[in-house]
Amino acid sequence: GNDSGFASLMLFCNFFRAEPQGWLKPRARDSATLTTIVAPNRTDPVADAEALRKAMKGLGTKESDIVDILGHRTLQQRLAIRQAYQQQLKRDLLKDLEGDLSGNFKQLSLQLVRGEDERTAACLYACMKGVGTDDATLIEILTSRTPSQMHGAAKAFQDLYGQTLEQELQSEIRGHYRDLMLALAKGDRAQDGPSDTKLAAGDAKRLYEAGGYKTMIPKPKSRHGGNSCCAYVCACVFVSVTRTCACALSLLSLSL
């Protein structure tokens, strides 16, 4: 409803609102980091956990209290709150949020108390549950994660949903599109590092000779994993693996 939407907006805006403790205080620029968001100086995860429980206990929910806590904590601090909630109150914070909240506010709050691997797994599951598949989002996730991130997400997926990510992909998509997505999901590609432009040019030529020039880089339209999806995945892999457009440009130059 409107109340849920307003609470979601307030929770989002709190990440960017200047606070007395310096939530958005700029850091000195140096060669190691350009981070501008600084965590609150002092937080008490147990007190935060108790305050969240109080906000959801009994009839009604005090969304403003949830916003004040989750909207002013870093990921590490939110995960500490979740752990304290389990250890001190013997309750599951995710289940309590799931049961007391609704709409976009619920979804945003749940994502805020999940770790990176859990968030990725939840997004992958949402892409494939029900009728059809959200190919664009599925492609975006699998082509933008490092091997270590994919390994963590795959483990979280199995822990959360009782089946492997590969099994879910096998049942949802088909053809060469499925084969390529399964390869990405395994996380067996090279780790991040300097781009090998010679290797990139060679791979681009091989893809061109395999017929990649016929479809180039179309946006996926089908929800059933057709050739356009497979071509789009190839283009995304080019950019995400090499962290440069050299591969895509090589492929494009070969087709001219």
Side-chain angles (χ1 to χ4, degrees):
N2 291 334
D3 290 341
S4 178
F6 179 74
S8 299
L9 179 61
M10 290 300 296
L11 186 53
F12 179 79
C13 288
N14 272 342
F15 284 107
F16 304 99
R17 188 177 66 186
E19 293 297 322
Q21 67 267 36
W23 177 248
L24 286 178
K25 182 175 63 178
R27 284 183 176 176
R29 181 184 294 266
D30 58 45
S31 59
T33 179
L34 295 178
T35 304
T36 56
I37 298 179
V38 182
N41 293 327
R42 292 180 298 275
T43 60
D44 184 342
V46 174
D48 286 342
E50 293 174 345
L52 285 173
R53 178 58 191 150
K54 183 178 180 181
M56 294 183 282
K57 190 175 181 178
L59 296 177
T61 302
K62 295 181 179 179
E63 287 88 355
S64 60
D65 290 349
I66 296 175
V67 170
D68 286 341
I69 295 172
L70 297 185
H72 295 88
R73 301 293 184 270
T74 65
L75 174 60
Q76 289 73 22
Q77 291 166 341
R78 296 194 301 271
L79 293 179
I81 293 170
R82 178 179 168 184
Q83 183 177 23
Y85 200 93
Q86 176 69 45
Q87 293 178 346
Q88 299 296 321
L89 306 179
K90 309 302 180 184
R91 299 182 66 90
D92 188 328
L93 179 56
L94 282 171
K95 290 183 178 179
D96 281 354
L97 291 171
E98 179 83 31
D100 280 76
L101 307 181
S102 62
N104 291 329
F105 183 53
K106 177 179 75 174
Q107 296 304 322
L108 177 56
S109 298
L110 289 173
Q111 292 292 60
L112 286 174
V113 294
R114 285 175 170 145
E116 179 184 349
D117 293 337
E118 284 183 302
R119 288 201 306 271
T120 300
C123 289
L124 287 169
Y125 181 78
C127 290
M128 296 182 282
K129 74 175 182 179
V131 179
T133 304
D134 182 354
D135 292 301
T137 304
L138 191 62
I139 291 169
E140 173 66 24
I141 294 173
L142 291 185
T143 60
S144 62
R145 298 302 190 269
T146 64
S148 60
Q149 288 174 325
M150 279 310 310
H151 293 156
K155 182 180 184 303
F157 192 96
Q158 185 166 8
D159 292 343
L160 289 171
Y161 306 111
Q163 60 182 335
T164 67
L165 176 58
E166 291 183 29
Q167 289 173 331
E168 187 70 15
L169 289 169
Q170 287 275 11
S171 66
E172 288 292 325
I173 54 180
R174 52 187 166 81
H176 297 305
Y177 172 48
R178 179 184 64 189
D179 296 339
L180 184 53
M181 295 297 269
L182 285 171
L184 291 172
K186 290 179 180 178
D188 290 337
R189 61 184 180 177
Q191 296 285 347
D192 288 344
S195 301
D196 187 333
T197 56
K198 290 184 178 180
L199 179 61
D203 287 343
K205 183 178 180 181
R206 288 176 60 198
L207 282 170
Y208 174 84
E209 293 172 347
Y213 67 93
K214 295 179 181 179
T215 50
M216 291 307 296
I217 312 176
K219 292 290 184 180
K221 297 180 181 179
S222 171
R223 292 177 64 84
H224 304 288
N227 290 334
S228 63
C229 285
C230 192
Y232 184 57
V233 175
C234 290
C236 291
V237 173
F238 274 155
V239 177
S240 64
V241 172
T242 64
R243 296 184 297 166
T244 179
C245 293
C247 291
L249 290 174
S250 296
L251 178 59
L252 179 60
S253 64
L254 287 170
S255 67
L256 296 179

